Amino acid sequence: PFLVAIMGFDSNICSATGTGLQEAITGIPSQFVVIAKQSGLLDDGTLVVKVNGVINQEECKVRARDNKNGSYNIAYMTQTPGAYLITITAAGKHIPGSPFRLTAQPGPEADKCTMFGPALQPDAILTIGKPIDFSVDTSAAGTGELTVKAVGPGGAYARVFIAKTSKHGVHDIKLDPVRHGKYRVSVKW
């Protein structure tokens, strides 16, 4: 006869790290990593990750990938702004810090952006060597990143300068065309 020691999994040896534990933007994937010092915990249900809305009761779809080195990449996406709880359990017990609390901020809503300025007027005359000025107001459009591109004749790109103004969410844009002709200006939020 011989003795066999069967040991349970200790949730206290697990940890979680990453920005997805503290912040989320609706409609954009958030990520974090769980470090468990053992792989295969997703397959047998030992490691469980859930993301749920506190008030809206939204249950977010969670994707988890075993990196086969004791760490797990976790990704989720909130759809509604508000408070959320991330619960991470190992062997039925919360890991240190779980449940994690965060507030999901509104994601980008491009249809709520407005553009204005002299370059956008129908009777505007635009000339080479004189920058084209207009502004984009993103203050009602949630959290996002403003990008502006201008492509002209022969695929030439105009130089683009973006500056935030003292007004919340308003960006001043200056385009400096490099060739004569029509330019396609793309503004994305």
Side-chain angles (χ1 to χ4, degrees):
F2 56 92
L3 296 174
V4 176
I6 300 176
M7 301 173 64
F9 186 81
D10 184 4
S11 65
N12 288 318
I13 65 170
C14 294
S15 63
T17 185
T19 57
L21 293 171
Q22 295 95 25
E23 59 187 43
I25 298 173
T26 59
I28 297 175
S30 296
Q31 301 176 44
F32 61 92
V33 176
V34 174
I35 300 163
K37 300 188 180 12
Q38 183 178 336
S39 62
L41 300 178
L42 292 171
D43 298 334
D44 65 6
T46 300
L47 180 64
V48 177
V49 179
K50 293 182 180 180
V51 181
N52 294 315
V54 173
I55 296 171
N56 63 22
Q57 302 299 308
E58 176 185 344
E59 185 173 327
C60 299
K61 181 178 179 181
V62 175
R63 288 181 294 138
R65 186 181 78 209
D66 186 343
N67 296 319
K68 305 296 184 196
N69 63 2
S71 70
Y72 299 82
N73 288 353
I74 311 296
Y76 67 93
M77 187 165 47
T78 59
Q79 297 298 327
T80 308
Y84 286 81
L85 288 178
I86 299 174
T87 56
I88 306 171
T89 57
K93 296 181 181 173
H94 285 277
I95 71 165
S98 176
F100 298 88
R101 292 167 175 77
L102 65 92
T103 301
Q105 300 299 320
E109 297 181 69
D111 61 330
K112 293 187 179 175
C113 293
T114 57
M115 298 191 317
F116 56 93
L120 301 177
Q121 301 305 317
D123 58 349
I125 297 174
L126 310 173
T127 57
I128 296 292
K130 183 178 178 190
I132 301 165
D133 298 330
F134 65 94
S135 296
V136 179
D137 184 350
T138 63
S139 60
T143 304
E145 183 178 337
L146 181 66
T147 59
V148 180
K149 290 183 183 177
V151 182
Y157 282 89
R159 290 181 291 268
V160 177
F161 305 95
I162 302 174
K164 287 187 178 181
T165 66
S166 58
K167 295 180 183 176
H168 170 72
V170 177
H171 307 265
D172 284 340
I173 313 299
K174 289 191 184 295
L175 300 178
D176 190 7
V178 294
R179 290 189 184 157
H180 290 281
K182 292 184 179 184
Y183 281 76
R184 179 175 299 274
V185 179
S186 170
V187 179
K188 295 183 180 180
W189 180 246

